[in-house]
Amino acid sequence: MTYKIFAIIVPLMIKIYTSPSCSSCRKVKKWFKEQEIPYVEKNIFAATLNENDLKEMLIKSENGTEDIISTKSKVVKESGVDLDKMTIKELIEFIRNNPSALKRPIMVDDNKIQVGYNPDDITVFIPQAKRIAKWACESCPELDSCDHKQNEVD
């Protein structure tokens, strides 16, 4: 008896938190477009940030506020807040009222978070099937007509 196994590949929803004047944000969006990886852009100044989105950032960040909040930002310095003494609720409210305190860009998918543009680190957002196809094709003598490249799964 022969069994066929079918895999359903569901792309992860990638959210990119940006600001209009941020050059690193433009680089990140350009990179995602070049890689043909879909994303949702969220301008941190266009609307009040969603509480759940901020909780997700904090949960996924390795070092909590240190990873996502710029302690050098004008708003953090001038407000004199002690981020370490804030409750999660107070912190989220502070960020919602002062989005410029966030580092930018912030990229989040279902599993991970990355802050800032780093051309080496951002490759973790390339879908696994695409990474495997690229790896398989790199050593292929017929790279342009390779079956792996033509059957690449987005």
Side-chain angles (χ1 to χ4, degrees), residues 86-153:
M86 291 178 136
T87 65
I88 295 293
K89 187 175 182 171
E90 291 169 337
L91 180 62
I92 288 171
E93 193 61 28
F94 176 77
I95 297 169
R96 291 182 81 198
N97 292 328
N98 303 284
S100 63
L102 286 175
K103 293 179 179 179
R104 298 178 285 283
I106 298 176
M107 296 150 282
V108 181
D109 72 9
D110 295 344
N111 304 311
K112 59 194 157 295
I113 185 172
Q114 184 176 326
V115 180
Y117 174 70
N118 180 312
D120 296 326
D121 294 343
I122 198 170
T123 60
V124 300
F125 289 102
I126 296 174
Q128 183 179 15
K130 216 172 193 178
R131 278 184 277 148
I132 291 170
K134 183 178 188 290
W135 172 80
C137 291
E138 284 177 349
S139 59
C140 181
E142 299 170 14
L143 182 60
D144 293 333
S145 61
C146 177
D147 287 342
H148 292 107
K149 189 168 186 165
Q150 291 175 4
N151 296 324
E152 199 174 88
V153 179

Side-chain angles (χ1 to χ4, degrees), residues 33-118:
K33 285 177 186 166
E34 288 172 352
Q35 300 302 316
E36 299 178 355
I37 300 172
Y39 64 89
V40 173
E41 181 180 3
K42 295 193 172 204
N43 180 336
I44 63 170
F45 295 112
T48 303
L49 290 166
N50 180 315
E51 183 177 339
N52 289 332
D53 288 344
L54 293 171
K55 283 181 183 177
E56 179 182 31
M57 285 182 208
L58 288 166
I59 289 168
K60 291 179 181 171
S61 63
E62 200 170 303
N63 301 304
T65 58
E66 186 179 316
D67 289 346
I68 66 168
I69 295 182
S70 173
T71 55
K72 295 177 183 178
S73 70
K74 184 178 178 180
V75 70
V76 172
K77 285 181 178 180
E78 288 181 356
S79 66
V81 296
D82 186 346
L83 299 171
D84 295 328
K85 291 185 179 178
M86 291 178 136
T87 65
I88 295 293
K89 187 175 182 171
E90 291 169 337
L91 180 62
I92 288 171
E93 193 61 28
F94 176 77
I95 297 169
R96 291 182 81 198
N97 292 328
N98 303 284
S100 63
L102 286 175
K103 293 179 179 179
R104 298 178 285 283
I106 298 176
M107 296 150 282
V108 181
D109 72 9
D110 295 344
N111 304 311
K112 59 194 157 295
I113 185 172
Q114 184 176 326
V115 180
Y117 174 70
N118 180 312

